[in-house]
Amino acid sequence: MSYGYGQGQPGSGGYGGGYGGAPGAPGPQQDPLFAFFSSVAGQDGQIDAEELQKCLTQANFTGTNKPFNLETCRLMIAMLDRDMSGTMGFNEFKELCNVINAWRGNFMSMDKDRSGTVDAPEMQQAITSMGFRLSPQAMNIIVKRYGLNGKIGFDDYMACCIRLRTLTDSFRKRDQAQQGTASFSYDDFIQCTMSS
């Protein structure tokens, strides 16, 4: 069996580029999500990790009435933070909402017993459905890293998906021949792994 990274297929759990306005499309102020964004973002018109955590906790995205994981919020902002500000504006927030909803749908489709968690086989299925081909050893590491007693909740599931996506993107940039191998300097490796 070969192992490798996802190929960016539709529904792969990846994230797309920015939002171009379609002719005749409503401006941000007319978007129903804009009012919600403005109430969360406050005066500066930007959302930081703590504000995103409050927003996702209030919306009960974990399904457990516990606070959404702050580290996952930091990862989400880093994933879409094109200007490297550490915050997100409205378009980034709107893109994030679409990504969260896609991952939530994937998570719920894998959570067959509706426990609010996925177990190791369900996680394997979810990751495979996103286009990733990982070895059993890599899957074991993922379940141990993101799970609690072999069960992975939604916010940890998202953290795993974000890390897989960003690390895969970093790897692809360095795998010029698309052969599944890449060379990293130590500093480049640290930057890639610490930023995701």
Side-chain angles (χ1 to χ4, degrees), residues 84-101:
M84 307 303 276
S85 66
T87 62
M88 61 174 52
F90 177 65
N91 286 340
E92 294 163 326
F93 179 74
K94 187 172 179 177
E95 185 175 349
L96 178 63
C97 289
N98 289 332
V99 170
I100 290 172
N101 286 330

Side-chain angles (χ1 to χ4, degrees), residues 101-184:
N101 286 330
W103 276 330
R104 183 92 174 140
N106 188 308
F107 180 85
M108 291 174 68
S109 73
M110 298 303 155
D111 181 16
K112 304 292 186 205
D113 63 359
R114 298 293 179 243
S115 65
T117 62
V118 292
D119 59 20
E122 291 169 330
M123 188 66 173
Q124 171 74 54
Q125 186 179 2
I127 287 175
T128 300
S129 76
M130 287 184 254
F132 296 101
R133 298 176 313 275
L134 301 179
S135 70
Q137 296 83 358
M139 282 306 307
N140 189 38
I141 289 169
I142 286 172
V143 171
K144 284 181 181 175
R145 164 67 175 87
Y146 293 98
L148 179 61
N149 299 321
K151 303 284 187 177
I152 300 169
F154 180 63
D155 50 354
D156 288 324
Y157 169 83
M158 281 194 56
C160 177
C161 291
I162 293 166
R163 285 189 192 252
L164 274 173
R165 182 79 252 155
T166 55
L167 287 172
T168 297
D169 288 348
S170 294
F171 187 89
R172 270 194 189 134
K173 288 177 187 172
R174 289 150 184 89
D175 182 12
Q176 300 293 322
Q178 300 297 299
Q179 298 294 312
T181 60
S183 295
F184 289 78

